[in-house]
Structure formats: C-alpha cells, structure tokens
C-alpha cells in the first residue's frame, strides 16, 4: 500500500513529523491509500492535525506551564538542575513543542490547499485551516518570538532553511487570516461531521471560535504602542459596533474542545494524552502548590468540593494531603529538603480512586468561553468597550465552573454566582484602581486575572502568556528562585533549529536579541 507523506520546512522535521500520540496510529490508517490515489482529502487531515497539536499542548502544559505558574511542583529536589518551578530553563526543553507544532502546521496548511483546488473548493475547510493555523502559530510565536512563518513548511519546494519572520508581521498575518475566516464561514458550506472532533461539523461554532481567537490575539498585542489603537478599535468593533458580523463564544456549547474517550486505554482513538504519555506514578507525583489550591479552599470552590464530585472525589480529582486540601510553596529553599507533600492530582491507576484528570474526557480545551468573558471584562475595565467589567467578570467565573460542572451556574451571570463570590470575598469592586502590582494589593486587573488563571487551567501556555502580558495574578516569589527571580519570558530556540538553520538563526539574534529566556519579544516591549 502507498502511504501519503508530508514534508516540513526543516530537514529534521522530515524525521520527527510523526506524532508521539498513539491515536495517530489509527488516523494513519485513514491516510493510507489502498488504490494508489496520490492525494488525500481535506476532511482526512483535520482530526489528526488538531488532535496532535492539542495533545502536545496538554503534555507541555503539565510540565512547563504548570510549574512556571505555580500549579504543581516537584518534591524530588535532589536534582537541582532544570527545575522549571525555580525558573531554571534548559535549552533541550524547547525542541518538543517546536517539532510538534511545525509538523502539524504542514497538514493544517494542506487542508486549505486541498480545499482551494478546482472541483474540491470548500470555503469552510479553507476557513478552518486559517483558524487552526492562527491557533498553532500564536503558540509558536508567543513561546519563542520571531519564528519561521512565510517560508516555513516549504520542504516540498526545497526550502529547508527558512527565514525567521518578525513577530509583528506574524501577528498581522494571523489577524488577517482570522478576518478572512469569518468571511469565508458566512457561506455556511458543509463539512464532513465525522472529520471534525471539535464541533461535529457545526460551522457556526467554528465561526465563533475564530472570532474569539481574534479577540485573544488582539488583546495580546493591545499594550504594544504601535498596534494599540488599531487593536482596541477592532475589539470594540467586534463587541459593540458590529457583533452580528463577528459572533463570538457566549456559552460552553461554543467552547472549542476535543472530548477524549474517557477510558484508560493508551491505544484507542481520542485517548487522553495524559493516559498515553504520562505514567500514573508521575501524574500523581507532583505536589500541588499552595497558591493554586489555597485560593480554591478559601473560596469554597465547588470544583474541589468532594460532596459535589463523584464517589467522594472532587471534580478536579485532587487528593487531600496529610493536612487536607492545602499545598506547598513553589520555590522552597534549596538544600533544606522538600516540604512534606500535601494535596496532589489523583492518577488513573491509584488504588481506590474513582476518577482522575489523567483519563478525564474534558481536559482537551483549545479555547473556552470563560476566557472570552475575561477578555471582555478586561476590555470593559479599561474603557475600551461598553460596561464596567462587572457582568463579564461574574459570567467568566460562572462559565469557568460550569464547563467542569454543567449543573452549576448554567445561567451564567446570575445571583448564585454573585453570592458565591461574596462568600469567598472576591466579589467585584468597581472602586479599585485598574492596576496595582504591589504584592498583597488588589486591583481590577488582579481580580480579573486571578479568576482567569483558573479558567485557563490546562489550556496550553495561556496562563504563562497572560502573566507575561499583564503581570497578574500576583504570584508569590519563592526564596530560591533562579534567573534573578524573574519569570522567563520565552523559551530558547531549539538546538536542532540552530544547527540546521545557522544563517537564519544568527540573523534572528541580530533582529530580536540574544537567545535567552529574558529577551523580550515584540509584543512584550512597550
């Protein structure tokens, strides 16, 4: 039989293009051509591309984002090097995400190419390709800064050493693609429902996802002086001036997600990447940080209430430690020995455990409606759109909980969620200043971003990206942070990218600055 293959912009990606997720084995059966037809159709590429990007995101969310953003911490501190929770970032950390994202971008772009051919034109697949490309490229550029874009994934054309594009130009192109996607989807051309693991062929929801992603990217660059006015004007157009033209997510039926099969199989299609790639002992091995869980405990958050979970286990499958639902400090003193492990996430194979996020069907979030609510809350608090931010703030809290617990706060911004916030002492205070970064102080941005932090739980690197953008929520500084106590603002370029593309690697250092975790990228500079 003839296997259809896809090349990428880097020679080494020709080898590393296959995913490490076992579900790809089953998708490869779909892409195996039994009769010698030299091309594949767009519908056969969509599910594996989205699934592999999302799977890679989840694995690195656990190992990188969650340690940087004080969700989890290792208690095995006898190895002091490469401890991400201490801001000790190693070069080899960069390769996996770079390879995963670029290899699937080839397939994502091919969807548009195939759907643009005479006789096979499908404007919906063209639009979905643009949305998926914007989703993936945003992750790439926000992780590394300037990256190959225009010449990337051009291996078939002989471009094996692509130039690095400026982040400003990448963002400009991605915003244009999302504008194009919104227009293309107005035609409502049908796609194969079975090819779409996100919305089962519902084009109207893809349109909402694309425009919500549009808002994410606009907010991300809104603090950049040269882009601010245009970004703010576009946010207002989408939200206030012309909402009918730009429908966005408004409830959890619009949340972009792939539901895993919920089993403990490591071979079936749509098995959770946590089940496929993480050993149960490792999944439960990290301790939960006090910042993450102590807030939830103080608030009486329903997501960690065992009485509202399954068989006495809370919805986020957090096991109580010896002292209960409490955590340990993130950057505890070096050489003093790790504190006694307290709360942690249950693993699948743990005796007596009826539920675990390791196999949970709902962890595969690409973008949720709660994030959109908090984007609007910030925009309103800054005076960019109508309102004060209060209604959007409460709706974000409600939608964030409702995603995990559909029986709660189904009506969004109502009296029950306001009562919950009042009990937990995080109710909206319109008299607060917009911003105050003094530790222990409060502000509207701190209120919004503390709740957004929990809404972004498990969503790739978005907690880290947002912290770099606004400096919220205010994370406590441990006593043994490295890197001068400064949060890393990017990852190093991969080692293989340096060795296989040396000229363009040198050029990007001249343009962007040293290949260092403290080098600010374009949107992070004033």
């Amino acid at each position: 039989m003839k296997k259809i293959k896809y090349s990428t912009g880097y020679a080494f990606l020709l080898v590393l293009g296959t995913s490490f997720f076992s579900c790809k084995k089953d998708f490869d059966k779909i892409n195996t051509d039994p009769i010698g037809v030299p091309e594949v159709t767009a519908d056969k590429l969509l599910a594996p591309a989205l699934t592999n990007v999302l799977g890679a995101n989840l694995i690195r969310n656990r190992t990188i984002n969650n340690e940087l953003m004080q969700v989890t911490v290792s208690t095995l501190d006898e190895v002091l090097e490469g401890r991400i929770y201490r801001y000790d970032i190693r070069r080899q950390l960069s390769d996996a995400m770079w390879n995963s994202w670029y290899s699937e971008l080839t397939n994502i772009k091919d969807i548009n190419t195939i759907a643009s051919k005479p006789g096979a034109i499908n404007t919906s697949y063209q639009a979905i390709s643009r949305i998926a490309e914007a989703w993936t490229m945003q992750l790439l550029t926000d992780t590394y800064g300037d990256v190959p874009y225009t010449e990337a994934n051009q291996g078939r054309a002989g471009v094996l050493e692509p130039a690095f594009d400026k982040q400003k130009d990448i963002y400009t192109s991605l915003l244009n693609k999302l504008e194009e996607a919104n227009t293309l989807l107005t035609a409502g051309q049908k796609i194969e429902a079975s090819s779409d693991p996100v919305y089962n062929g519902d084009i109207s929801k893809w349109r909402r996802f694309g425009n919500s992603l549009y808002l994410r990217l606009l907010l991300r660059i809104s603090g950049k002086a040269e882009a601010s006015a245009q970004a703010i004007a576009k946010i207002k157009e989408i939200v206030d001036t012309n909402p009918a033209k730009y429908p966005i997510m408004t409830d959890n039926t619009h949340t972009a997600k792939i539901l895993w099969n919920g089993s403990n199989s490591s071979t079936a299609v749509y098995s959770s990447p946590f089940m496929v790639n993480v050993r149960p002992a490792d999944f439960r091995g990290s301790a939960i940080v006090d910042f993450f869980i102590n807030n939830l405990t103080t608030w009486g958050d329903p997501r960690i209430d065992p009485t509202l979970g399954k068989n006495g286990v809370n919805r986020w499958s957090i096991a109580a430690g010896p002292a209960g639902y409490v955590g340990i400090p993130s950057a505890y003193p070096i050489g003093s020995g790790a504190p006694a492990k307290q709360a942690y996430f249950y693993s699948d194979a743990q005796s007596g455990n009826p539920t675990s996020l390791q196999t949970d069907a709902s962890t595969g979030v690409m973008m949720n409606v709660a994030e959109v609510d908090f984007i609007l809350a910030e925009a309103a608090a800054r005076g960019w759109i109508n309102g004060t931010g209060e209604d959007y703030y409460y709706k974000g809290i409600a939608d964030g909980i409702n995603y995990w617990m559909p029986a709660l706060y189904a009506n969004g911004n109502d009296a029950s969620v306001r009562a919950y916030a009042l009990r937990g002492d995080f109710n909206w205070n319109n008299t607060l200043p917009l911003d105050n970064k003094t530790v222990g102080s409060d502000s509207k941005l701190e209120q919004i971003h503390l709740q957004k932090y929990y809404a972004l739980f498990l969503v790739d690197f978005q907690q880290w990206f947002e912290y770099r953008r606004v400096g919220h929520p205010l994370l406590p500084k441990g006593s043994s942070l490295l890197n001068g106590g400064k949060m890393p603002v990017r990852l190093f370029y991969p080692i293989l990218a340096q060795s296989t593309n040396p000229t363009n690697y040198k050029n990007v250092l001249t343009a962007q600055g040293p290949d260092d975790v403290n080098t600010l990228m374009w949107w992070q500079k004033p």
Side-chain angles (χ1 to χ4, degrees):
M1 292 190 294
K2 183 176 180 181
K3 182 69 68 71
I4 301 170
K5 299 180 180 179
Y6 303 93
S7 60
T8 67
Y10 283 102
F12 69 90
L13 286 182
L14 297 172
V15 179
L16 297 174
T18 56
S19 170
F20 47 83
F21 300 106
S22 66
C23 57
K24 183 66 179 289
K25 298 174 184 176
D26 299 84
F27 287 130
D28 280 345
K29 295 176 183 177
I30 298 174
N31 287 337
T32 300
D33 176 15
I35 56 174
V37 177
E39 294 184 351
V40 69
T41 53
D43 60 293
K44 299 300 189 294
L45 293 176
L46 182 60
L50 296 177
T51 303
N52 289 331
V53 172
L54 181 58
N57 293 351
L58 268 177
I59 295 301
R60 296 302 169 179
N61 164 274
R62 176 180 173 273
T63 58
I64 300 176
N65 178 89
N66 284 1
E67 292 209 357
L68 287 174
M69 292 302 297
Q70 299 192 22
V71 177
T72 54
V73 61
S74 172
T75 56
L76 301 176
D77 205 42
E78 68 275 9
V79 180
L80 298 180
E81 294 185 350
R83 290 302 188 191
I84 299 170
Y85 61 86
R86 295 195 189 280
Y87 300 169
D88 186 14
I89 307 298
R90 298 298 159 129
R91 288 187 177 273
Q92 60 267 30
L93 192 67
S94 302
D95 292 53
M97 295 312 304
W98 181 282
N99 295 341
S100 298
W101 288 330
Y102 270 118
S103 62
E104 294 307 331
L105 275 167
T106 297
N107 293 328
I108 288 169
K109 291 178 179 181
D110 279 347
I111 293 170
N112 178 67
T113 300
I114 294 167
S116 301
K117 291 183 176 180
I121 291 176
N122 186 300
T123 54
S124 292
Y125 278 122
Q126 291 173 11
I128 291 170
S129 172
R130 286 165 168 77
I131 293 169
E133 182 179 351
W135 172 57
T136 308
M137 276 303 309
Q138 172 263 310
L139 290 166
L140 264 163
T141 189
D142 285 357
T143 300
Y144 303 99
D146 295 355
V147 293
Y149 177 60
T150 306
E151 295 182 355
N153 307 98
Q154 298 295 321
R156 283 171 290 197
V159 181
L160 300 180
E161 296 185 29
F164 287 64
D165 292 67
K166 293 184 181 297
Q167 186 178 64
K168 173 186 176 181
D169 298 332
I170 295 171
Y171 258 86
T172 299
S173 178
L174 298 184
L175 293 171
N176 287 337
K177 286 182 182 294
L178 292 171
E179 185 75 33
E180 292 167 1
N182 182 56
T183 301
L184 289 166
L185 287 171
T186 59
Q189 191 169 357
K190 291 183 179 180
I191 64 171
E192 290 289 337
S194 61
S195 76
D196 177 9
V198 182
Y199 293 124
N200 196 35
D202 190 330
I203 298 305
S204 66
K205 291 180 179 178
W206 272 105
R207 192 177 176 197
R208 290 181 183 274
F209 175 28
N211 290 325
S212 299
L213 187 61
Y214 206 165
L215 288 175
R216 175 195 281 179
L217 269 63
L218 289 167
L219 186 64
R220 190 69 42 83
I221 65 172
S222 62
K224 182 68 178 176
E226 63 186 288
S228 181
Q230 288 180 300
I232 293 169
K234 192 65 185 183
I235 290 172
K236 184 168 183 61
E237 180 185 359
I238 292 172
V239 180
D240 288 341
T241 309
N242 211 343
K245 181 180 177 181
Y246 297 99
I248 59 176
M249 296 180 185
T250 58
D251 60 53
N252 271 310
T253 67
H254 303 147
T255 286
K257 65 183 182 299
I258 294 178
L259 287 174
W260 311 122
N261 60 37
S263 75
N264 61 2
S265 170
S266 61
T267 58
V269 176
Y270 300 123
S271 290
S272 169
F274 289 146
M275 194 64 228
V276 177
N277 294 282
V278 184
R279 297 182 307 170
D282 293 333
F283 194 84
R284 65 177 180 267
S286 294
I288 297 178
V289 176
D290 50 10
F291 177 80
F292 179 84
I293 195 167
N294 290 5
N295 284 324
L296 299 174
T297 302
T298 299
W299 299 336
D301 194 285
R303 288 165 291 196
I304 65 164
D305 185 342
T307 66
L308 299 176
K310 178 180 178 182
N311 296 335
V313 176
N314 55 69
R315 182 62 186 89
W316 274 354
S317 303
I318 294 174
Y325 290 104
V326 298
I328 66 174
S330 179
Y332 48 82
I334 294 175
S336 64
K341 182 179 175 182
Q342 293 290 335
Y344 62 92
F345 291 103
Y346 277 117
S347 68
D348 171 65
Q350 198 163 356
S351 175
N353 167 40
T355 181
S356 169
L357 290 182
Q358 190 169 15
T359 55
D360 196 292
S362 300
T363 60
V365 177
M366 302 162 73
M367 185 177 189
N368 58 40
V369 65
E371 179 183 349
V372 178
D373 296 330
F374 290 120
I375 288 171
L376 300 182
E378 180 177 341
R382 291 182 181 275
W384 299 345
I385 61 174
N386 296 335
T388 64
E390 179 176 357
D391 289 346
Y392 293 124
Y393 172 74
Y394 285 119
K395 186 173 182 300
I397 295 169
D399 286 339
I401 295 172
N402 175 260
Y403 175 76
W404 294 97
M405 309 178 78
L408 296 181
Y409 308 133
N411 295 323
N413 177 17
D414 61 12
S416 61
V417 74
R418 289 173 182 254
Y420 160 60
L422 183 62
R423 289 193 304 271
D425 195 26
F426 56 93
N427 49 303
W428 179 260
N429 184 348
N430 205 46
T431 66
L432 289 173
L434 176 65
D435 197 5
N436 187 338
K437 290 187 173 63
T438 304
V439 175
S441 64
D442 208 353
S443 66
K444 291 175 184 175
L445 288 182
E446 177 66 11
Q447 283 196 298
I448 291 167
H449 281 274
L450 182 56
Q451 296 301 322
K452 189 175 184 178
Y453 169 85
Y454 291 98
L456 293 175
F457 175 55
L458 299 180
V459 184
D460 53 70
F461 292 167
Q462 296 306 316
Q463 286 179 336
W464 180 43
F465 294 157
E466 283 294 271
Y467 181 83
R468 287 159 39 194
R469 182 178 67 85
V470 291
H472 293 282
L474 297 173
L475 298 174
K477 296 289 187 179
S479 60
S480 297
L481 287 173
L482 304 178
N483 195 43
K486 296 182 295 184
M487 172 69 77
V489 298
R490 60 182 294 275
L491 296 186
F492 294 104
Y493 289 119
I495 296 171
L496 281 174
Q498 301 173 31
S499 61
T500 60
N501 196 0
T503 300
N504 289 310
Y505 173 68
K506 291 178 182 177
N507 290 341
V508 75
L509 301 191
T510 300
Q512 180 171 264
D515 190 5
D516 184 88
V517 297
N518 298 311
T519 296
L520 297 177
M521 56 188 67
W522 171 74
W523 61 255
Q524 293 176 280
K525 299 174 183 177

